[in-house]
């Protein structure tokens, strides 16, 4: 083999290796999508339901594995509404949620569509569903939480400040001692609180009764806690929410397929204990 041929094959190998490095994130992501689809199909058949997921995790996707951060968006509401609309009217819906929250508009649309579905609706929370995620969960007939999963308050946020705190600050200081911009902000905050409270009440009144629905709507929107306060399963039960902990095993397996590969090494590692002390047997 001549020197020119050796150089050609060497260049070809380097080119193929370079293309493999560039395309590997896409190949890996496609493999994950197929694995998720198989699990969702199995879960749907097991529970005889339409299974929908809204899972917001940072993922490395694209040509250079660039991380994307996700929240509830208008695009999410369009896709979830389409899924709910296409679901059989006599078939239950299982909506798996993992989210820090997002746009109130989008969360409200999803919650309304879920609430209006004729058959039973269940929201499954394997880890957390905060803010707008909780708003959606409140629309379901049942909330299924991992024993250590959490929900959160749904008090509206205006920029970096909680709406109830803005109103409270003006009340304490006095309207004559704050500027016009703060007064306008407090007015908007008060309207936002009332709007979310009324909507939560409308979601809950059919299943909880008017009195309990008003109580829950007030507690969850009044700013009793910080916006990131974790409402545990036990506290959700104490509040009177319809919650249980029978999360299907397939949901945990599904979450394993939503890793966040932004580092070469994960921040958490563990070694399962095996009987007899033999590792990996």
């Amino acid at each position: 083999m001549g020197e020119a041929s050796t150089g050609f094959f060497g260049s070809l190998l380097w080119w193929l290796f370079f293309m493999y490095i560039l395309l590997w994130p896409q190949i890996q992501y496609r493999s994950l999508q197929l694995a998720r689809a198989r699990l969702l199909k199995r879960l749907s058949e097991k529970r005889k339901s339409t299974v929908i997921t809204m899972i917001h995790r940072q993922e490395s996707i694209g040509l250079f594995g660039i991380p994307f951060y996700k929240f509830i968006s208008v695009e999410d509401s369009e896709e979830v509404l389409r899924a709910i609309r296409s679901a059989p009217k006599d078939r239950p819906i299982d909506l798996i949620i993992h989210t820090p929250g997002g746009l109130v508009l989008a969360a409200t649309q999803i919650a309304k569509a879920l609430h209006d579905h004729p058959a039973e609706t269940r929201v499954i929370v394997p880890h957390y569903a905060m803010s707008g995620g909780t708003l959606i969960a409140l629309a379901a007939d049942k909330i299924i939480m991992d024993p250590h999963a959490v929900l959160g308050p749904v008090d509206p946020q205006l920029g970096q400040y909680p709406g109830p705190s803005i109103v409270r600050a003006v009340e304490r200081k006095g309207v004559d001692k704050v500027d016009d911009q703060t007064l306008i902000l407090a007015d908007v905050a008060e309207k936002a609180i009332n709007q979310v409270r009324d909507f939560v009440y409308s979601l809950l009144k059919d299943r909880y009764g008017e009195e309990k629905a008003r109580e829950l709507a007030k507690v969850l929107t009044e700013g009793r806690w910080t916006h990131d306060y974790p409402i545990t399963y036990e506290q959700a039960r104490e509040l009177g929410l319809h919650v249980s902990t029978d999360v299907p095993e397939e949901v945990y397996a599904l979450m394993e397929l939503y890793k966040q590969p932004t580092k070469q090494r994960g921040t958490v590692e563990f070694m399962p204990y095996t009987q007899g002390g033999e590792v990996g047997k």
Side-chain angles (χ1 to χ4, degrees):
M1 183 179 291
E3 187 176 324
S5 297
T6 303
F8 171 76
F9 282 111
S11 299
L12 180 61
L13 286 174
W14 274 110
W15 174 251
L16 291 174
F17 177 73
F18 180 68
M19 290 300 297
Y20 173 80
I21 294 297
L22 287 179
L23 295 175
W24 175 244
Q26 290 290 346
I27 296 170
Q28 191 177 38
Y29 184 60
R30 178 58 180 165
S31 176
L32 280 174
Q33 285 182 312
L34 292 172
R36 293 168 188 169
R38 286 193 295 267
L39 260 177
L40 290 173
K41 185 173 185 293
R42 187 197 312 170
L43 184 61
S44 176
E45 292 171 351
K46 177 181 177 180
R47 294 178 66 82
K48 296 178 173 57
S49 66
T50 296
V51 181
I52 306 169
T53 65
M54 188 174 69
I55 298 174
H56 293 144
R57 270 193 163 177
Q58 176 186 330
E59 292 188 311
S60 294
I61 306 171
L63 190 61
F64 300 104
I66 299 171
F68 290 87
Y69 298 86
K70 299 180 179 180
F71 303 90
I72 301 174
S73 65
V74 173
E75 288 75 19
D76 287 327
S77 67
E78 290 177 359
E79 293 182 17
V80 175
L81 262 60
R82 190 179 303 117
I84 293 174
R85 188 166 55 246
S86 64
K89 303 304 180 186
D90 59 346
R91 187 172 185 174
I93 287 177
D94 283 304
L95 175 57
I96 303 168
I97 295 182
H98 177 83
T99 182
L103 288 178
V104 174
L105 167 63
T108 298
Q109 288 181 293
I110 296 170
K112 182 72 165 60
L114 193 66
H115 175 269
D116 293 346
H117 183 68
E120 184 179 53
T121 55
R122 303 173 293 239
V123 163
I124 303 174
V125 185
H127 296 301
Y128 69 102
M130 305 298 286
S131 189
T134 299
L135 188 66
I136 295 169
L138 294 173
D141 296 310
K142 295 179 181 177
I143 304 173
I144 304 172
M145 302 171 62
D146 177 85
H148 301 106
V150 295
L151 304 174
V154 295
D155 52 311
Q157 307 294 290
L158 275 71
Q160 59 181 322
Y161 300 114
S165 295
I166 297 170
V167 174
R168 204 164 294 140
V170 172
E171 289 174 348
R172 290 179 178 177
K173 195 168 185 180
V175 295
D176 57 330
K177 296 180 180 178
V178 295
D179 56 51
D180 290 348
Q181 184 175 355
T182 304
L183 286 175
I184 293 170
L185 196 61
D187 179 64
V188 174
E190 191 170 3
K191 290 174 181 174
I193 294 166
N194 289 333
Q195 287 165 189
V196 175
R197 182 175 296 166
D198 290 345
F199 182 65
V200 172
Y201 167 74
S202 72
L203 294 176
L204 300 177
K205 64 179 180 179
D206 293 339
R207 283 174 283 113
Y208 292 85
E210 292 194 5
E211 184 178 349
K212 186 63 177 178
R214 290 189 192 282
E215 176 192 331
L216 285 168
K218 181 176 184 296
V219 168
L220 293 170
T221 61
E222 69 183 355
R224 175 177 299 192
W225 307 290
T226 58
H227 191 62
D228 61 352
Y229 178 78
I231 299 175
T232 63
Y233 165 73
E234 290 82 7
Q235 190 165 13
R237 282 193 64 186
E238 289 174 6
L239 289 173
L241 291 172
H242 298 164
V243 293
S244 67
T245 58
D246 52 338
V247 176
E249 287 301 318
E250 289 83 357
V251 173
Y252 295 118
L254 183 68
M255 294 304 296
E256 284 294 314
L257 298 176
Y258 283 87
K259 291 293 187 181
Q260 305 181 66
T262 57
K263 298 181 180 179
Q264 294 297 318
R265 181 186 66 82
T267 56
V268 177
E269 296 177 353
F270 72 98
M271 181 63 67
Y273 172 79
T274 57
Q275 191 171 2
E278 297 184 19
V279 177
K281 185 174 180 180

